[in-house]
Amino acid sequence: MSKIKLLFSKIIKDPIRNLKLNNIILSQSKELEWAHIYHDSIRGKEWLEKLPLNVGRWAGNYSFFYVLNRILADYKPSRILDLGLGESSKFVSTYLENYLLNSTHVIVEQDEIWLSQFNDRFELSNRSSVVICPMEKIEINKFEINSYKNINEKINGKFDLYIIDGPFGSDRYSRYDILNFVEKFEENEEFIIMMDDTNRLGEQDTLKDILINLKKKQINYFTGNYVGNKTLTIIASNKYKFVTSL
């Protein structure tokens, strides 16, 4: 029996393994579909078509960049907070130089070495600023998590768009720093939160606490999931509710 036939015979005999394989194939099929949708959405924007993006793996996937593109193009956020320097930072900064001519973009990054290497390869807009907040360990609900040190002291004001893809993920209550901003929201707050990797338990913990906080403040909100080979969750106020179904 060939190695391929042997592999498939084992899969057929193992329903759990078969289910996992089917899920992988399904998620990759969805990701391929999102890749086509993304490329169609940037057609005609030469400055985006020529932008070298490393999509997937640690960066956002194609559904992430499709939604980010639609938000920037359709809703024109004036103040953008980007947690984690990377591909999304390049994307937003390129928009600032070519389309969002009055917007500002604050990026929080944990690693000065990574910032230096990034700057060697890409020049950010002069309206994109990077704030270094070293990563530290803190405790949330008896779990040790990664957090940006002194982020409350270094980042002030409110934003229209919050892009959450940093710091490094935690097993539980991952990327919990966003709660520092949500807790300051007022009842009439207008916002979009992009929470990447919500297929993971740690991000699900944080997402749950975001929604609990919004309910306590009686802030009307809408949510939507965009699923490829990982999941992006959008939380939006009434003004931006259609972002949840692009």
Side-chain angles (χ1 to χ4, degrees), residues 17-31 228-229:
R17 187 176 181 182
N18 191 24
L19 180 61
K20 288 180 179 179
L21 179 63
N22 285 338
N23 287 338
I24 291 171
I25 293 171
L26 179 61
S27 68
Q28 288 303 116
S29 297
K30 288 180 179 178
E31 189 65 14
N229 56 11

Side-chain angles (χ1 to χ4, degrees), residues 62-128:
Y62 277 108
S63 59
F64 175 96
F65 281 104
Y66 165 73
V67 174
L68 180 58
N69 179 48
R70 289 292 305 275
I71 289 171
L72 298 176
D74 297 353
Y75 294 95
K76 304 177 180 63
S78 60
R79 297 201 72 213
I80 302 163
L81 180 63
D82 191 2
L83 299 188
L85 174 69
E87 302 306 299
S88 62
S89 310
K90 291 161 59 176
F91 198 91
V92 173
S93 197
T94 301
Y95 250 97
L96 263 61
E97 286 297 287
N98 294 275
Y99 188 75
L100 299 177
L101 302 181
N102 296 309
S103 296
T104 58
H105 175 212
V106 179
I107 305 162
V108 179
E109 173 51 35
Q110 67 195 45
D111 193 322
E112 290 193 36
I113 295 175
W114 169 243
L115 172 59
S116 177
Q117 292 176 351
F118 182 93
N119 286 336
D120 287 341
R121 297 189 299 270
F122 186 83
E123 183 178 356
L124 290 166
S125 167
N126 59 15
R127 283 175 289 114
S128 293

Side-chain angles (χ1 to χ4, degrees), residues 22 24 28 39 48 50 87 94 110 137 143 148 175 185 187 203 213 220:
N22 285 338
I24 291 171
Q28 288 303 116
H39 286 295
L48 281 182
K50 291 184 176 180
E87 302 306 299
T94 301
Q110 67 195 45
K137 298 288 186 180
F143 292 98
Y148 287 120
R175 296 164 176 166
F185 283 3
E187 189 175 345
E203 278 73 10
N213 266 269
N220 196 26

Side-chain angles (χ1 to χ4, degrees), residues 145-199:
I145 71 159
N146 297 322
S147 177
Y148 287 120
K149 186 176 182 179
N150 297 327
I151 189 171
N152 271 340
E153 300 169 16
K154 293 186 176 182
I155 307 298
N156 298 308
K158 296 186 177 183
F159 299 87
D160 306 298
L161 173 61
Y162 300 81
I163 304 170
I164 314 304
D165 199 22
F168 292 157
S170 307
D171 291 336
R172 300 297 304 270
Y173 297 94
S174 186
R175 296 164 176 166
Y176 206 77
D177 292 307
I178 181 59
L179 268 296
N180 294 322
F181 300 94
V182 173
E183 287 169 357
K184 298 173 185 175
F185 283 3
E186 298 174 355
E187 189 175 345
N188 62 348
E189 200 85 19
E190 299 290 0
F191 59 88
I192 303 169
I193 299 173
M194 295 181 67
M195 187 92 187
D196 202 16
D197 299 308
T198 51
N199 49 296

